[in-house]
Each structure stands twice: as structure tokens, then as C-alpha cells.
Amino acid sequence: LDSLHLENIMLGGCRTAVQRLAAGRLCQRSNLLSSKLSTSAVRPAIYSVQSEEEFKEKVLGGSKPTVIDFSATWCGPCKILTPRLESAIAATEDAVDLAIVDIDDFQELAIEHNVSAVPTVLGVKNGEVIGRFVGLIDEDKLGAFIGKLKE
């Protein structure tokens, strides 16, 4: 959200003058902070797959190891795991990417990769699946899983 939209949302929902003033100050601070943030920071690619072609190009044909998160919007455990994956991937400092595949949108990809339950997570390196797990796992095991991809 840009600051104008943030300000409109925050000020529109405030009932008192004090709340409006506090919201206005928050918007001013967010403008100041966003102007000081660097856009050159290295970030891993975390993306939702939009097509089978993109999957083949970025995941199977990509130069970086990739964690594939086969999930669904209605899946409770997926809602827990995906943020954990995003955090763990961010900690790799651009060494590993995360591709999120919605199985309802890409049933063929799920079938091709033997996904029978969600969440199913695959680790791909040089176009080959080198690891997989189904369901939620501990942070330590998740770190070890991603560590294998970085080797």
C-alpha cells in the first residue's frame, strides 16, 4: 500500500480526533521510513506459480535450488507452513527460492509430482527432486531440509 491509501484506510476508520491525529502521524512515519529503505537489498524469489510454463522455466529450469510448496487456500496446515517456509527461505540470503503451487489451480503439476495430500513440499536442485515431506515439520527439520538444498 502506498501512503495515500494507508492514510485513507486509517483515517477513514478513526472515530475521534485523537485517533485521526495518531493515524496521521503513523502515515508520516511510514513515509519517512519508506524513503530511507534501500531497494537494492538481496531477496530470495518467493512467488506463487502462475502457469505450468513458469513452473518449468523457474523451478525445473532455474539456476537456484527451489523449495516447492504444494498447498491449497482451504488447507489449515498450509496456512501455518507457508509463512514458516517464507521465513526459512528468507534466511538463506538468496541461495534458495520458494515456489508456491496451488493444487486447485494446477492439478496436473500436483499429479506429476505425486502430491496426494497438502501441504507437500519438494526440494529441487538442478531440475531434480532431492527431498520431500508431507505435512507440518519442526523448525529444525525444516532448516535441515533447506540446508540440503544449499549444499
Side-chain angles (χ1 to χ4, degrees), residues 5-142:
H5 288 103
L6 180 62
E7 188 173 1
N8 286 338
I9 291 168
M10 294 180 78
L11 293 178
C14 295
R15 290 182 222 132
T16 68
V18 172
Q19 288 173 322
R20 285 192 301 273
L21 181 60
R25 285 187 183 146
L26 179 62
C27 288
Q28 288 173 343
R29 283 190 199 133
S30 71
N31 285 342
L32 182 62
L33 287 174
S34 65
S35 67
K36 291 182 179 182
L37 293 176
S38 169
T39 57
S40 62
V42 175
R43 289 191 217 169
I46 297 176
Y47 55 93
S48 293
V49 172
Q50 301 298 313
S51 68
E52 288 189 33
E53 294 76 27
E54 178 187 34
F55 181 86
K56 289 175 185 170
E57 179 185 323
K58 286 185 173 181
V59 176
L60 300 179
S63 60
K64 285 198 307 188
T66 303
V67 171
I68 309 167
D69 177 15
F70 284 98
S71 60
T73 56
W74 46 263
C75 167
C78 300
K79 292 176 185 178
I80 296 168
L81 181 63
T82 299
R84 287 184 187 172
L85 286 170
E86 290 172 347
S87 262
I89 294 297
T92 69
E93 298 178 347
D94 200 36
V96 180
D97 288 346
L98 174 62
I100 301 167
V101 179
D102 187 321
I103 62 160
D104 292 325
D105 293 336
F106 298 102
Q107 295 173 3
E108 296 291 323
L109 286 176
I111 291 168
E112 285 174 28
H113 291 89
N114 300 315
V115 174
S116 58
V118 288
T120 293
V121 177
L122 305 180
V124 174
K125 189 173 185 177
N126 300 322
E128 298 292 323
V129 176
I130 64 166
R132 81 178 310 150
F133 66 87
V134 178
L136 296 175
I137 62 173
D138 295 334
E139 299 287 332
D140 294 342
K141 291 180 182 176
L142 181 57

